[in-house]
Amino acid sequence: LDINYKADYFLMNNYTVKIRNIVKKIIGLENACSLNHNPMSGHISSTDSLIELSRLEVDMTPSIGQKILSLGTGVFDAGACQFIKV
């Protein structure tokens, strides 16, 4: 990530709150909001990011223009995607 990158929300596959917070700190996104509960389902590979995005919309309802960084760490979804609420 660019040193100046800021996201309003941070998603990361199907990990516990503790792991998400550790990764947020490592990549410099301590202030980004993330889901504050542990996963409710087992790992289902490529759909993890979509499930987390759906849960974010229900639980926290991002506002228009806010940035959501989704970090995929699985075999089928490795990489990062940025979404902007429109």
Side-chain angles (χ1 to χ4, degrees):
L1 295 176
D2 181 288
I3 190 92
N4 297 313
Y5 180 81
K6 300 290 181 219
D8 300 296
Y9 295 91
F10 175 73
L11 301 176
M12 189 178 126
N13 281 44
N14 201 8
Y15 291 93
T16 64
V17 172
K18 183 176 182 177
I19 296 298
R20 277 186 232 131
N21 289 337
I22 289 170
V23 173
K24 280 176 25 176
K25 185 174 183 177
I26 290 170
I27 64 175
L29 293 177
E30 298 96 337
N31 295 324
C33 296
S34 59
L35 297 171
N36 57 5
H37 46 76
N38 290 321
M40 296 166 50
S41 60
H43 281 278
I44 29 190
S45 298
S46 60
T47 59
D48 282 349
S49 297
L50 296 175
I51 291 169
E52 293 295 295
L53 186 60
S54 174
R55 289 176 61 202
L56 176 71
E57 183 66 27
V58 171
D59 292 355
M60 302 181 117
T61 314
S63 299
I64 292 174
Q66 289 190 305
K67 295 179 190 174
I68 303 162
L69 176 65
S70 177
L71 181 62
T73 59
V75 174
F76 300 107
D77 65 346
C81 292
Q82 175 180 280
F83 301 96
I84 299 177
K85 175 81 179 218
V86 293

